[in-house]
Amino acid sequence: MGNKVCCIFNIGPHYRTPIYELMDSELKCDFYFGDSIGAPIKLMDYTLLRGYRRTLRNVKIPKTGFDWQIGAWRLIFKPYKHYIITGSPATLSNWLLALMAILLRKKVYGWTHGLKGNETKAGKFIARNFYHLCHKVLLYGEFSKNMMIKERFKAEKLIPIYNSLDYDKQIVIRKKLKPTDIFKTYFKNDHPVLIYIGRIQKSKKVDLLVHSLKMLRERQIVCNLVIIGEDIDSNDIPNLVKEYDLTENVWFYGPCYDENEIGKLLFNSDVCISPGLVGLTAIHALTYGTPVITSDDFSNHGPEFEAIESDVTGDFFRKEDLDDLCAKIISWINLSSEKRELVRLNAYDEIDKKYNVHYQIQVLKKLFFK
C-alpha cells in the first residue's frame, strides 16, 4: 500500500470515468468517494475501479457553507505516501488531512479550480491558506495558475492538469465523421447552423441565442439553431421561440447520450455557442472540430474556456451584449471552406495537446514516478 496513491474525492462524476480508470491501471490508486454533493450530477460506477475502497458520507455543516467528509482524515494514518484530494477549501476534513500530512511527512495534492478572481475577500483568504497546506496544487488551467502567482504562490507548486472527456472513444468517432445533410433534412434549408449542447440552465443564458436569432433575421441573416440538452431550470425557451416565430429554425433535440450522434451534430454545425457560462461544452465541441463562442466573463467560466482562442478556435463577445454576439456569429458563419477546415484542425490540435486523459496521466506520472 505504501507505493499506492490514495485518492479522496467529493464524488466521482460520470464524465471522469476514463481518467479514473487510467489512474486505476497505471498509478495503482486506491479510491475513496463521497456519496453526494447535493447537485444533479450523474455519478460513475465506482465498481469499475479495481482500487475502489469505500464511499464516504459528505455532511453539510448547517449555516456555515462548509462540509465534512466522514472518515476521510483518518486515511492519513494508513501507509500511503501520496494523497490526491478534491481541493475544496470548504471541506473542513481536507484541512485536517492536509495538516496531519505535514506532521507525518506525507504529501497532499489538491485537485482544484484554484483562485479564479471572483472570490470574496474572506473566500480568497480561506482558499489561499488552504492551498498553502497542499504540497502541490493540480489546476484545471493556466488562468488560475496566473491568478495564484499574483497571490505570491510559487509557480512550481502549481501544476495545470486541465480536464478531459471520454477522449479515446471520441477520437474513434471523430476519425469516421464526414459532412452529412442531417440539418438540411431536418430544417429543409441550407442556412448556417448554430448549436448549443449542455444542460439548459439560467447560467448558460440560452435565451440570448434565441434573441440573437431574431436580431439576425431582422438583418436578413437567417440561421438555424439546434439545442441539445435537458432543461433543468424551467427555462421558457420554447415559448420564446414561438413568440418570435422561429419554430421552423429551432430544433429542440433534447437530451442525448449517444456519442456517435453528438459527434455528427457537432461536426456538421458551423459554430457552438454558450452565451452565458461555458465549461466542458467547449471541450466537447472542439473535440469534433466545431469553434466555440462564449462571453468574456472569464472569472466565472469553467476553466475549459481557455481552450477557446480568439480567431483560432472560437471567440468571445462582450458579456450580455447582443449586438456583439450577433457580430461574432456573423463572422463565424461566413468562413470560407478553407478557413473552416483550418479552424477544425486548430480545434483538434488544442484537444489532442492537453485536454485528454493521456496528457493528464503523464502529468500525474511525473509527480509520482520521478
Side-chain angles (χ1 to χ4, degrees), residues 40 55 99 101 117 192 247 288 341:
T55 298
L99 283 165
T247 303
Y288 295 117
E341 188 58 26

Side-chain angles (χ1 to χ4, degrees), residues 204-303:
K204 306 295 185 180
K205 300 183 179 176
V206 180
D207 59 305
L208 285 183
L209 265 178
V210 181
H211 293 311
S212 66
L213 216 62
K214 175 177 178 283
M215 184 177 284
L216 288 167
R217 185 180 62 183
E218 289 169 350
R219 299 177 184 179
Q220 310 303 312
I221 301 168
V222 181
C223 294
N224 299 317
L225 171 62
V226 180
I227 299 176
I228 306 171
E230 180 182 2
D231 187 339
I232 64 168
D233 271 350
S234 299
N235 295 272
D236 207 15
I237 308 299
N239 282 335
L240 188 61
V241 168
K242 289 178 184 176
E243 180 187 337
Y244 288 165
D245 193 24
L246 290 167
T247 303
E248 292 184 358
N249 296 103
V250 179
W251 186 0
F252 287 101
Y253 196 91
C256 182
Y257 305 102
D258 181 340
E259 196 63 32
N260 285 284
E261 197 64 20
I262 290 170
K264 189 195 310 180
L265 291 162
L266 285 169
F267 181 88
N268 283 283
S269 299
D270 289 276
V271 61
C272 177
I273 307 175
S274 187
L277 303 183
V278 76
L280 286 166
T281 289
I283 304 307
H284 216 165
L286 295 176
T287 296
Y288 295 117
T290 305
V292 181
I293 297 174
T294 191
S295 76
D296 60 1
D297 190 11
F298 303 137
S299 291
N300 288 309
H301 281 313

Side-chain angles (χ1 to χ4, degrees), residues 105-168:
R105 296 185 178 181
K106 296 186 175 188
K107 295 176 179 178
V108 168
Y109 303 78
W111 196 335
T112 176
H113 287 268
L115 298 178
K116 297 176 62 179
N118 61 351
E119 299 84 7
T120 63
K121 199 169 185 178
K124 182 191 286 188
F125 176 80
I126 292 168
R128 286 179 76 257
N129 281 283
F130 173 71
Y131 298 140
H132 278 302
L133 294 177
C134 298
H135 175 64
K136 301 279 186 184
V137 183
L138 303 173
L139 298 167
Y140 289 96
E142 298 285 343
F143 184 79
S144 181
K145 179 179 178 178
N146 292 332
M147 282 279 180
M148 294 178 74
I149 289 173
K150 289 177 184 176
E151 293 294 325
R152 299 184 181 178
F153 282 85
K154 293 182 178 178
E156 56 267 27
K157 184 185 182 77
L158 311 172
I159 314 295
I161 193 169
Y162 302 97
N163 210 350
S164 63
L165 293 170
D166 197 347
Y167 178 77
D168 288 344

